[in-house]
Amino acid sequence: MERLKQALKKLHEAKPEELDKVKKEVRKYFRDTNPTELALAEQELIQEGVSRNELKRLCDVHLDVMKEELHAKAKRIRLPASHPISILKDEHKIIKRNLKRLKHILEKLSIVNSFEKARQQVNTLKELSHFFLETEKHHQREEEALFPRLEEHGITEPPQIFKEDHAEFKAKKKSLNEIAMAQQEKDFKEFLEGITPLIEFLTKNLEEHIYKEDNILYPMALEVLEKEEWKEVRKKFDAIGYCCFAPEDIK
Ligand SMILES: [Fe+2]
Ligand SMILES: [Fe+2]
């Protein structure tokens, strides 16, 4: 743990031009670590005064360092389809597919210059922006059913970071939906300028958020939560409801 913290600190203090070198140097410390250990080390750094924003940046850096190892570990996890984590991961797949569609729509809209020529794309955009509002249920289930359990096990910082992300996504999704729906009142250029940064933000950051959950947060939760707790999580899931699909066993 101490070595891991030192490695994180080194990354934290590295100047941009040294970052690649430092990344190579500290790689070995991350190799044998597990997500829980990593979370606890990060938490201690925050208690020692590293800001949450800085930690977020750091998180991207060590994620980059650990990517292959984490991904290989996460891939080995086998769970029944009815397990809360399976449900969340399946929803991620649908969300990612729709993020790709969103990106594609933006590319198409960028090469036309009027609503007349883009009717089909604008309709798909409306549909998609509605879909993304619906995915709030997914975040709600994470925040209300999963995160409190992690916190009970002493893992408090990662949920906080993910919650901040959720709030940011929510605001962008709302704006996107508003612009898509009010499309007729605007001229095309203004419309395009409104949606472009929102779509760019979501495709980049939501995709990364999902990656971190699939490969760090969820494996960590699987490590610390007891079997009985997962049943409670699932009950809460059912009470909150689902967005992209209903699980097989309640269909
Ligand atoms: Fe999330
Ligand atoms: Fe998620």
Side-chain angles (χ1 to χ4, degrees):
M1 173 79 118
E2 235 0 85
R3 280 158 98 206
L4 193 60
K5 257 171 71 187
Q6 290 308 329
L8 283 168
K9 268 194 189 148
K10 262 197 161 164
L11 282 173
H12 171 58
E13 284 153 10
K15 296 192 188 88
E17 65 269 22
E18 312 170 331
L19 197 57
D20 280 333
K21 206 181 109 214
V22 178
K23 269 188 197 172
K24 271 195 202 116
E25 246 177 74
V26 299
R27 183 165 246 137
K28 57 177 180 292
Y29 299 112
F30 289 106
R31 199 154 285 156
D32 318 305
T33 186
N34 62 45
T36 316
E37 222 172 34
L38 186 65
L40 293 174
E42 288 182 344
Q43 220 155 282
E44 280 186 26
L45 285 179
I46 287 199
Q47 279 151 6
E48 287 167 21
V50 175
S51 77
R52 196 170 282 150
N53 250 344
E54 176 51 28
L55 196 71
K56 246 187 189 171
R57 189 188 70 87
L58 211 56
C59 202
D60 294 335
V61 176
H62 67 62
L63 194 66
D64 201 37
V65 174
M66 297 172 74
K67 222 166 197 164
E68 287 143 48
E69 286 98 49
L70 284 172
H71 196 61
K73 274 185 199 158
K75 260 184 113 170
R76 283 199 293 273
I77 298 169
R78 293 269 173 276
L79 295 168
S82 58
H83 193 285
I85 292 297
S86 304
I87 295 172
L88 293 173
K89 284 173 97 173
D90 282 341
E91 285 172 334
H92 280 172
K93 284 183 195 145
I94 301 173
I95 295 172
K96 281 202 292 191
R97 212 171 335 159
N98 281 324
L99 280 172
K100 277 210 184 92
R101 288 177 70 202
L102 205 55
K103 204 172 172 182
H104 197 63
I105 292 283
L106 182 63
E107 281 163 10
K108 287 219 163 135
L109 286 174
S110 306
I111 47 176
V112 295
N113 48 22
S114 73
F115 286 118
E116 288 73 51
K117 288 185 194 144
R119 199 159 290 148
Q120 197 196 335
Q121 282 81 11
V122 173
N123 282 338
T124 314
L125 179 68
K126 282 184 188 167
E127 221 177 89
L128 283 172
S129 72
H130 181 73
F131 163 84
F132 279 103
L133 285 185
E134 290 270 291
T135 60
E136 273 309 305
K137 289 248 178 203
H138 171 94
H139 299 307
Q140 194 189 343
R141 266 181 276 122
E142 289 175 333
E143 286 188 17
E144 291 174 19
L146 185 62
F147 293 178
R149 297 269 165 189
L150 284 171
E151 283 158 5
E152 271 172 37
H153 286 277
I155 295 169
T156 53
E157 277 310 320
Q160 220 42 52
I161 292 176
F162 284 88
K163 254 190 229 174
E164 282 176 15
D165 276 358
H166 290 170
E168 244 178 324
F169 297 143
K170 189 178 184 176
K172 306 277 180 196
K173 289 190 276 189
K174 256 184 88 187
S175 308
L176 182 66
N177 185 256
E178 276 160 20
I179 298 179
M181 288 311 179
Q183 149 268 128
Q184 284 88 347
E185 297 153 26
K186 285 206 161 109
D187 73 74
F188 190 77
K189 200 168 160 265
E190 205 183 316
F191 167 77
L192 195 60
E193 278 169 6
I195 61 166
T196 301
L198 295 171
I199 294 179
E200 280 171 352
F201 182 92
L202 285 172
T203 45
K204 179 173 179 289
N205 295 287
L206 187 50
E207 174 102 40
E208 276 176 19
H209 178 93
I210 287 175
Y211 186 88
K212 285 179 204 163
E213 288 183 337
D214 283 348
N215 293 287
I216 301 179
L217 193 73
Y218 296 169
M220 181 159 73
L222 288 167
E223 252 175 46
V224 299
L225 264 66
E226 310 285 342
K227 220 175 172 182
E228 281 308 305
E229 291 185 276
W230 284 115
K231 286 188 191 147
E232 294 302 315
V233 172
R234 178 58 207 264
K235 266 190 211 155
K236 237 198 157 150
F237 268 34
D238 292 349
I240 293 168
Y242 297 89
C243 59
C244 318
F245 66 89
E248 282 300 323
D249 52 336
I250 57 168
K251 246 180 210 166

